[in-house]
Amino acid sequence: MTRFRSVFAGVGSYLPKKVLSNDDLANMVDTNDEWIRQRTGIKRRHIAASGETTSMMAVHAAKRALKDANVEAGELDLIVLATATPDLTFPATATMVQREIGMYRGFAFDVNAVCSGFLYALAIADSFVVRGQARTAMVVGAETFSRILDWEDRTTCVLFGDGAGAVVLRGEPGAPGMGDRGIIHTHLRSDGRHEELLYVDGGPSKTKTVGHLQMSGNKVFRHAVTNISGAIARVLDDTGLNVSDIDWFVPHQANERILEGIAKKMGLARDQVISTVADHGNTSAASIPLALDVAIKDGRIKKNDLVLFEALGGGFTWGAALARM
Ligand code: ACO
């Protein structure tokens, strides 16, 4: 059976127009710009307009990624869309995107691994591509976390933003080698024992409501640094690489202090870490493709660079992935 490797062919992203600054938030809850910047590094975040949904943002990002890849929607075999904030309980947001971009073949489905969603979706899409079951695949991360925040809770509402990002993967013949472009390795983990540290207190089956995000911030912080560092170490170990071999780290953008903590623990140079947290806040599953798009478009990440992605999210779910762009 022919083996393939998943090569990044294009990337695109979308942020809603409305920008909410820390000063804007200070008019809504008992907080201030200095506290938010010092504790999180966040300066502003984008918020979806009334009626603007996860699928709408995903469609913008998907179309931009297709254009960047020079691929028609009709060439796609697969869409895997990561979200914890779908338009509806069902159908999957992925099939709405499929319809709106004009992809009338293949298959599309959602993945919910919260902030690790993009990594999970990437690993799943990769497994279809490497076995030749999808020659061209799209991976999307899209969220409207603004709809699940309690806007009176200063401990959570200052942290998150809305947005979407997408990548197009193309199957190229040949198993992934270290020098080849494409996804080289992925490592996923989860541990359901920590549900009470980060969850939404509503859902169709339990409460018949949407609910609000609840988080024990400093406990999540500690798990994030430990678990993500572990996942990075595992990917390096599995591939026989050292931190010094990696050109860029594109982390899930939760908090500048988490990024600094991981960089310090792993011995990464701070300027190798792509950070968009100041401008985007935490956009959950959308944060990695949004950051990747920024760093490719501004010329930092180039073709053939070795990039390590990592994330942790509710569940807990976490993981890391290594790719040559
Ligand atoms: N403005 C002003 N004061 C605040 C605010 C705010 N927005 N929020 C909390 N405070 C106060 C608290 O009430 C507390 O006051 P007290 O000492 O009088 O009780 C004080 O600030 C310190 O609160 P802590 O929660 O201990 O602050 P901490 O330094 O831990 O920072 C934060 C909180 C930013 C949430 C941090 O814990 C964090 O970033 N954790 C990780 C959370 C995260 O990134 N989650 C997402 C990852 S997973 C995912 O992406 C879904």
Side-chain angles (χ1 to χ4, degrees), residues 31 35 39 115 154 198 215 217-218 252 254-255 258 282 312:
T31 190
W35 191 96
R39 303 286 178 130
C115 297
R154 68 174 182 174
L198 182 54
M215 180 171 69
N218 39 33
H252 164 53
N255 179 319
I258 295 181
N282 180 346
L312 176 129

Side-chain angles (χ1 to χ4, degrees), residues 70-184:
N70 202 15
V71 164
E72 298 293 328
E75 291 175 64
L76 289 174
D77 303 303
L78 166 67
I79 298 175
V80 189
L81 185 145
T83 191
T85 46
D87 287 25
L88 299 171
T89 301
F90 77 80
T93 304
T95 55
M96 300 175 185
V97 173
Q98 183 187 23
R99 176 189 67 221
E100 293 304 314
I101 63 172
M103 172 194 166
Y104 307 122
R105 59 196 293 276
F107 58 114
F109 60 93
D110 287 359
V111 167
N112 180 353
V114 203
C115 297
S116 311
F118 183 78
L119 272 187
Y120 271 61
L122 190 73
I124 292 165
D126 179 49
S127 69
F128 282 107
V129 172
V130 294
R131 283 181 291 135
Q133 288 175 295
R135 275 308 288 272
T136 311
M138 177 175 279
V139 182
V140 188
E143 303 276 18
T144 40
F145 259 49
S146 61
R147 306 269 155 75
I148 55 165
L149 296 175
D150 174 354
W151 287 100
E152 292 178 1
D153 176 8
R154 68 174 182 174
T155 68
T156 52
C157 76
V158 303
L159 302 173
F160 297 91
D162 300 331
V167 300
V168 175
L169 301 175
R170 280 212 103 130
E172 300 282 345
M178 208 58 80
D180 295 320
R181 289 183 64 215
I183 296 174
I184 294 167

Side-chain angles (χ1 to χ4, degrees), residues 201-222:
D201 61 5
S205 178
K206 196 162 182 176
T207 63
K208 296 195 273 180
T209 61
V210 171
H212 290 124
L213 184 143
Q214 309 290 342
M215 180 171 69
S216 303
N218 39 33
K219 289 191 182 135
V220 173
F221 192 107
R222 284 198 293 277

